[in-house]
Amino acid sequence: LGALGGSVSTLGILALLIPGIVDARPDGFGRGMGGGDRGLTGGSASMLKAADLDQDRRLSLTEYKAFRDGKFSDMDADDDGQLTQQESLDYIMARVAARVEKRYERGDQDGDGQISDAEFKEGSLIQFGRFDRNNDGYLSRDDRRRGGSRGGHDHDQKPEPSAAE
């Protein structure tokens, strides 16, 4: 990777900051936690939702090509019709940077520009509460979204300690 090694290492480190659990989408594209053969989840579902111009929860070849062409244009910074590794890395890094910025907006509760150990732990408990849609104290397939439901409890609250701990 040569000169790009530092950028790739930085990207790898930043990727660790982004939560690894991918949840199902209520838009018809996602079907479960964890990806694999359970359907499109996470970023793929978001991409397909954005590309579904007629919002029929299906993606035609025409819609896919239009989305693909727009994505290429977004990545081709110098508009020369070619993508370089650097253009690809710059595009990805900008997206990662935006996600990290959002993470800090949510997680930096005291506004000091840093996430402390206590803030990180508090945020992870809130995140667990959001994923535990059936409020049973466990994360499992039962917590998948169905029909747009977000479960029966307040998802911005951390869960109560249970016997499962």
Side-chain angles (χ1 to χ4, degrees), residues 50-154:
D52 185 16
L53 299 176
D54 60 9
Q55 298 181 0
D56 65 353
R57 296 185 178 182
R58 300 180 315 165
L59 200 59
S60 70
L61 181 57
T62 301
E63 289 171 318
Y64 183 81
K65 285 179 177 180
F67 184 81
R68 175 204 60 198
D69 293 347
K71 184 67 69 179
F72 186 90
S73 294
D74 291 345
M75 295 174 71
D76 185 17
D78 60 8
D79 294 321
D80 68 352
Q82 303 288 324
L83 288 181
T84 64
Q85 276 189 335
Q86 192 60 52
E87 285 173 320
S88 296
L89 280 171
D90 290 347
Y91 179 81
I92 291 167
M93 292 300 290
R95 292 175 57 105
V96 169
R99 291 182 75 175
V100 169
E101 184 176 330
K102 283 183 184 179
R103 169 114 181 162
Y104 274 77
E105 287 172 6
R106 286 190 311 262
D108 179 20
Q109 296 173 4
D110 61 11
D112 68 354
Q114 301 178 57
I115 295 178
S116 69
D117 183 53
E119 288 170 328
F120 185 85
K121 288 175 180 173
E122 178 80 8
S124 69
L125 289 177
I126 291 170
Q127 184 179 42
F128 185 95
R130 287 181 182 143
F131 288 135
D132 183 18
R133 289 180 175 84
N134 64 5
N135 203 23
D136 66 356
Y138 295 92
L139 298 182
S140 69
R141 290 179 139 188
D142 295 337
D143 294 308
R144 294 180 293 181
R145 285 188 190 163
R146 291 185 178 90
S149 170
R150 292 193 52 126
H153 67 288
D154 185 347

